[in-house]
Amino acid sequence: QVQLVESGGGLVQPGGSLRLSCAASGFSFRLRAMGWYRQAPGKQRELVASISIGGRTNSPDSVKGRFTISRDNAKSTVYLQMNSLKPEDTAVYYCNAIPNFEMWGQGTQVTVSS
Protein backbone atom coordinates (compact mmCIF):
# COMPACT_ATOMS: atom_id res chain seq x y z
CA GLN A 1 0.00 0.00 0.00
CA VAL A 2 1.55 3.26 -1.18
CA GLN A 3 1.69 6.00 1.45
CA LEU A 4 2.76 9.61 0.85
CA VAL A 5 2.78 11.98 3.82
CA GLU A 6 3.56 15.64 3.18
CA SER A 7 4.53 18.05 5.94
CA GLY A 8 6.23 21.38 6.57
CA GLY A 9 3.74 23.84 5.13
CA GLY A 10 2.49 26.93 6.87
CA LEU A 11 1.99 30.67 6.68
CA VAL A 12 4.98 32.71 5.56
CA GLN A 13 5.54 36.30 4.45
CA PRO A 14 6.59 37.16 0.89
CA GLY A 15 10.32 36.63 0.56
CA GLY A 16 10.33 33.96 3.24
CA SER A 17 11.31 30.30 3.12
CA LEU A 18 9.81 26.90 3.90
CA ARG A 19 11.11 23.35 3.68
CA LEU A 20 8.58 20.65 2.82
CA SER A 21 9.07 16.95 3.48
CA CYS A 22 7.39 13.91 1.93
CA ALA A 23 7.72 10.59 3.72
CA ALA A 24 7.09 7.70 1.33
CA SER A 25 6.40 4.03 1.97
CA GLY A 26 4.90 0.97 0.31
CA PHE A 27 7.18 0.94 -2.74
CA SER A 28 10.85 0.88 -3.71
CA PHE A 29 11.53 4.58 -3.24
CA ARG A 30 15.10 4.53 -4.57
CA LEU A 31 13.86 3.09 -7.90
CA ARG A 32 11.34 5.86 -8.60
CA ALA A 33 11.70 9.39 -9.86
CA MET A 34 9.83 11.77 -7.55
CA GLY A 35 8.07 15.08 -7.94
CA TRP A 36 6.48 17.91 -6.02
CA TYR A 37 3.17 19.28 -7.28
CA ARG A 38 0.91 22.11 -6.20
CA GLN A 39 -2.72 23.01 -6.68
CA ALA A 40 -4.17 26.45 -6.02
CA PRO A 41 -7.93 27.07 -5.73
CA GLY A 42 -9.56 27.03 -9.17
CA LYS A 43 -6.38 25.87 -10.89
CA GLN A 44 -5.04 22.57 -12.20
CA ARG A 45 -2.40 20.62 -10.34
CA GLU A 46 1.05 21.49 -11.68
CA LEU A 47 4.50 19.98 -11.33
CA VAL A 48 6.92 22.35 -9.59
CA ALA A 49 10.01 20.16 -9.25
CA SER A 50 11.21 16.68 -10.15
CA ILE A 51 14.18 14.52 -9.29
CA SER A 52 15.26 11.41 -11.17
CA ILE A 53 16.49 8.11 -9.78
CA GLY A 54 20.01 9.37 -10.49
CA GLY A 55 19.45 12.74 -8.81
CA ARG A 56 18.90 14.95 -11.87
CA THR A 57 16.47 17.79 -11.08
CA ASN A 58 14.16 19.98 -13.12
CA SER A 59 11.70 22.80 -12.43
CA PRO A 60 9.52 25.12 -14.50
CA ASP A 61 10.49 28.76 -15.00
CA SER A 62 7.95 29.90 -12.41
CA VAL A 63 10.03 28.46 -9.56
CA LYS A 64 13.47 27.93 -11.11
CA GLY A 65 16.19 29.42 -8.92
CA ARG A 66 13.88 29.56 -5.90
CA PHE A 67 12.86 25.93 -5.26
CA THR A 68 15.26 23.03 -4.76
CA ILE A 69 14.18 19.39 -4.68
CA SER A 70 16.32 16.73 -3.02
CA ARG A 71 15.96 13.14 -1.87
CA ASP A 72 17.27 10.93 0.89
CA ASN A 73 16.93 7.33 -0.25
CA ALA A 74 17.94 5.95 3.16
CA LYS A 75 14.94 7.74 4.69
CA SER A 76 12.58 7.29 1.70
CA THR A 77 11.97 11.03 1.89
CA VAL A 78 11.88 13.80 -0.71
CA TYR A 79 12.27 17.46 0.24
CA LEU A 80 11.38 20.79 -1.31
CA GLN A 81 13.32 23.84 -0.15
CA MET A 82 11.35 26.94 -1.11
CA ASN A 83 13.02 30.36 -0.93
CA SER A 84 11.98 33.87 -1.98
CA LEU A 85 8.34 32.85 -1.71
CA LYS A 86 5.70 34.84 -3.56
CA PRO A 87 1.94 35.13 -3.00
CA GLU A 88 1.39 33.18 -6.23
CA ASP A 89 3.14 30.20 -4.61
CA THR A 90 0.12 29.81 -2.31
CA ALA A 91 -1.29 26.31 -2.86
CA VAL A 92 -1.60 22.84 -1.43
CA TYR A 93 1.65 20.99 -2.14
CA TYR A 94 1.75 17.25 -2.88
CA CYS A 95 4.44 14.71 -3.65
CA ASN A 96 4.23 11.64 -5.86
CA ALA A 97 6.36 9.25 -7.84
CA ILE A 98 6.88 9.86 -11.56
CA PRO A 99 5.03 8.19 -13.26
CA ASN A 100 2.36 9.01 -10.66
CA PHE A 101 0.72 6.53 -8.38
CA GLU A 102 -3.04 6.92 -8.50
CA MET A 103 -2.97 7.46 -4.73
CA TRP A 104 -2.21 11.03 -3.58
CA GLY A 105 -1.57 12.17 -0.02
CA GLN A 106 -3.44 14.90 1.81
CA GLY A 107 -0.87 17.53 0.87
CA THR A 108 0.45 20.40 2.95
CA GLN A 109 -0.86 23.97 2.74
CA VAL A 110 1.55 26.77 1.88
CA THR A 111 0.21 30.29 2.29
CA VAL A 112 2.36 33.28 1.32
CA SER A 113 0.81 36.50 2.59
CA SER A 114 1.71 39.70 4.38
Side-chain angles (χ1 to χ4, degrees), residues 57-77:
T57 63
N58 201 13
S59 295
D61 290 344
S62 58
V63 308
K64 194 162 289 180
R66 300 188 298 119
F67 290 10
T68 303
I69 188 170
S70 60
R71 65 191 296 159
D72 185 338
N73 288 341
K75 295 181 177 180
S76 294
T77 300

Side-chain angles (χ1 to χ4, degrees), residues 30-31 57 65 67 79 84 92 99:
R30 70 186 184 280
L31 300 180
T57 63
F67 290 10
Y79 304 95
S84 302
V92 178

Side-chain angles (χ1 to χ4, degrees), residues 2-109:
V2 170
Q3 188 99 276
L4 301 164
V5 181
E6 300 93 344
S7 63
L11 174 64
V12 65
Q13 293 186 326
S17 297
L18 285 172
R19 191 191 195 206
L20 308 184
S21 297
C22 171
S25 61
F27 63 98
S28 296
F29 178 85
R30 70 186 184 280
L31 300 180
R32 300 276 182 165
M34 297 294 295
W36 279 98
Y37 301 77
R38 68 186 180 191
Q39 187 166 30
K43 300 189 71 176
Q44 304 244 96
R45 184 186 292 122
E46 64 172 337
L47 179 70
V48 296
S50 63
I51 185 165
S52 73
I53 294 168
R56 181 174 64 255
T57 63
N58 201 13
S59 295
D61 290 344
S62 58
V63 308
K64 194 162 289 180
R66 300 188 298 119
F67 290 10
T68 303
I69 188 170
S70 60
R71 65 191 296 159
D72 185 338
N73 288 341
K75 295 181 177 180
S76 294
T77 300
V78 61
Y79 304 95
L80 185 68
Q81 178 66 47
M82 305 187 294
N83 299 325
S84 302
L85 283 161
K86 304 174 180 180
E88 50 262 49
D89 296 319
T90 296
V92 178
Y93 284 71
Y94 303 88
C95 65
N96 210 330
I98 301 171
N100 295 159
F101 292 113
E102 56 189 39
M103 182 275 174
W104 293 80
Q106 292 301 301
T108 186
Q109 174 73 230

